[in-house]
């Protein structure tokens, strides 16, 4: 089946019986990310996680904010 990337409109064809195809057919959400967009998002997500950890660490220290 042919799928269109939600982000860059790049059209790719995937195996009809692949996990991705089944997932797209079962749910009516047509959200498909091509490899390059997927990699880009994964990278951003990892960056956000790193930032999140940093913020968590920051929050632990100042306990006298409300005084
Ligand atoms: Zn894309």
């Amino acid at each position: 089946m042919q799928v269109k990337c939600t982000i860059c409109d790049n059209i790719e064809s995937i195996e009809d019986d692949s996990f991705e195809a089944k997932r797209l057919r079962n749910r009516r959400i047509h959200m498909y990310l091509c490899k390059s967009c997927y990699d880009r998002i994964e990278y951003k997500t990892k960056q956000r996680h790193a930032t999140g950890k940093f913020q968590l660490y920051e929050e632990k220290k100042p306990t006298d904010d409300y005084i």
Side-chain angles (χ1 to χ4, degrees), residues 19 40 58-59:
F19 172 74
R40 201 164 56 226
E58 285 262 289
E59 275 171 8

Side-chain angles (χ1 to χ4, degrees), residues 5-10 32-38 40:
C5 174
T6 313
I7 292 175
C8 68
D9 286 351
N10 185 37
Y32 178 80
L33 299 182
C34 69
K35 183 83 174 85
S36 59
C37 287
Y38 182 84
R40 201 164 56 226

Side-chain angles (χ1 to χ4, degrees), residues 36-47:
S36 59
C37 287
Y38 182 84
D39 284 349
R40 201 164 56 226
I41 281 176
E42 194 185 47
Y43 176 70
K44 276 187 186 168
T45 308
K46 276 179 186 164
Q47 275 193 324

Side-chain angles (χ1 to χ4, degrees), residues 14-67:
I14 55 174
E15 297 281 337
D16 272 352
D17 56 350
S18 70
F19 172 74
E20 202 78 51
K22 277 175 190 160
R23 202 177 60 123
L24 284 166
R25 270 198 301 262
N26 287 342
R27 307 174 180 214
R28 272 168 227 158
I29 316 161
H30 289 279
M31 265 276 285
Y32 178 80
L33 299 182
C34 69
K35 183 83 174 85
S36 59
C37 287
Y38 182 84
D39 284 349
R40 201 164 56 226
I41 281 176
E42 194 185 47
Y43 176 70
K44 276 187 186 168
T45 308
K46 276 179 186 164
Q47 275 193 324
R48 208 179 304 137
H49 279 199
T51 313
K53 271 176 197 162
F54 181 70
Q55 282 172 343
L56 264 175
Y57 179 67
E58 285 262 289
E59 275 171 8
K60 275 180 186 172
K61 283 192 290 179
T63 44
D64 53 352
D65 270 354
Y66 300 101
I67 302 168

